[in-house]
Amino acid sequence: MFKITYFYFLLLLIFCTISIGASRKDLFTDPRERMVTTQIIARGIKDPRVIKAMRKVPRHLFVPEKIRGSAYDDRPLPIGEGQTISQPYIVAFMSEVLDLSSRDRVLEIGTGSGYQAAILAEIVRQVYTIEIRPGLGETARERLKEMGYRNIFVKIGDGYKGWPEKAPFNAVIVTCAPEKIPRPLIDQLTEGGRMIIPVGEERGIQELILLRKEKGMIIKKAVMSVVFVPMIKEEEIMVR
Ligand code: SAH
């Protein structure tokens, strides 16, 4: 009798363990894993911290509900107000080339959905991010807070000017394209600091530029041709 009861107890225990394990996986775990293997690792991203972050952050929670099914597709997606969340590979590539360390403080220009900020926050100490469109900035701030990110600080304003009160930054990432590299952003880099920024005209050819500040000198290198939404000025918000 005792043996049979024990057997059923054991069976129940195994069943419970399996269900707890399964509940930790959600509908999006498999597509996310597939995204990491086929779009990120297969294309040469090697930094284990970037790969770990891409595996962890639930990208589907950063896109509008009706397009969640496409969240892990190999492309940018609309996030409202004519703006886009970058393609997963671009997010990973820009994070990797910044050569980040866990002690770094990073400035992002163009919060958008907050996805890139979340990826960075998994890797570095603090992320400061600026969004010029109040609607997008407030939604992202709320979303990141709900997700438990305590090391991301969202400001609504013109990122061209950077965030001088919080400078200097070990790295700057710009996710909208200005026609020229904003001087204030270079000034707000630490010695040895890195910046990744798409530069070029709207609807023209844009180059992703990797910049490094070394002994006061600026070393620049074009690393990829890209298409980003333009960096706008405050007075342009109403007309666009
Ligand atoms: N990094 C975002 C994608 C951003 S799309 C993400 O992970 O979802 C580019 C964003 O830059 C848009 O939201 C746009 O409103 C914003 N932007 C454009 N010009 C800006 C400026 N001058 N300062 C700050 N943000 C700006």
Side-chain angles (χ1 to χ4, degrees):
M1 180 63 196
F2 175 75
K3 262 193 186 152
I4 293 176
T5 319
Y6 182 70
F7 173 75
Y8 280 119
F9 175 71
L10 210 66
L11 214 63
L12 188 72
L13 201 71
I14 292 168
F15 178 74
C16 288
T17 317
I18 292 171
S19 9
I20 292 169
S23 70
R24 231 179 265 143
K25 262 184 90 170
D26 59 50
L27 217 61
F28 295 95
T29 311
D30 289 341
R32 187 161 58 247
E33 188 52 42
R34 219 170 305 129
M35 167 196 89
V36 171
T37 20
T38 62
Q39 303 173 36
I40 308 301
I41 298 172
R43 292 200 187 124
I45 301 295
K46 291 200 171 59
D47 187 333
R49 291 159 309 168
V50 173
I51 295 172
K52 193 171 165 204
M54 299 294 293
R55 236 180 214 133
K56 181 170 170 197
V57 178
R59 182 172 162 97
H60 60 280
L61 299 183
F62 292 83
V63 302
E65 222 168 319
K66 55 180 188 304
I67 55 166
R68 277 200 183 149
S70 310
Y72 297 96
D73 289 2
D74 190 13
R75 60 189 167 108
L77 291 170
I79 53 169
E81 301 196 34
Q83 306 307 301
T84 51
I85 176 175
S86 306
Q87 180 189 5
Y89 173 69
I90 296 292
V91 172
F93 179 83
M94 291 174 84
S95 308
E96 183 172 68
V97 293
L98 283 175
D99 196 14
L100 300 167
S101 110
S102 56
R103 297 177 305 279
D104 285 350
R105 296 167 69 251
V106 179
L107 173 67
E108 179 195 28
I109 309 304
T111 315
S113 68
Y115 178 69
Q116 174 78 70
I119 292 290
L120 295 169
E122 295 286 342
I123 304 170
V124 303
R125 185 151 61 99
Q126 288 169 338
V127 179
Y128 292 85
T129 178
I130 308 177
E131 171 55 55
I132 203 164
R133 291 182 164 85
L136 288 177
E138 272 145 30
T139 307
R141 182 189 281 146
E142 201 49 42
R143 171 183 291 140
L144 293 163
K145 189 177 150 205
E146 254 172 48
M147 294 176 87
Y149 286 102
R150 299 277 171 267
N151 59 341
I152 304 178
F153 307 92
V154 182
K155 172 167 136 171
I156 314 286
D158 185 357
Y160 183 93
K161 303 173 198 146
W163 198 329
E165 303 79 17
K166 302 292 178 188
F169 302 97
N170 306 95
V172 173
I173 176 168
V174 184
T175 63
C176 46
E179 288 186 12
K180 289 198 186 105
I181 303 176
R183 185 74 226 183
L185 299 183
I186 297 181
D187 294 340
Q188 290 171 32
L189 275 179
T190 56
E191 168 62 34
R194 292 86 56 201
M195 186 189 310
I196 185 81
I197 177 169
V199 182
E201 283 169 26
E202 182 176 3
R203 296 191 193 92
I205 295 173
Q206 299 168 0
E207 286 293 335
L208 207 48
I209 308 286
L210 180 64
L211 178 156
R212 186 179 279 271
K213 204 186 222 180
E214 254 167 48
K215 300 195 182 83
M217 296 226 311
I218 306 299
I219 300 150
K220 280 190 276 184
K221 174 165 97 173
V223 288
M224 195 191 285
S225 297
V226 284
V227 181
F228 274 82
V229 295
M231 178 182 275
I232 61 163
K233 298 190 174 69
E234 251 148 348
E235 58 269 25
E236 290 177 73
I237 295 187
M238 305 309 271
V239 285
R240 277 179 190 263

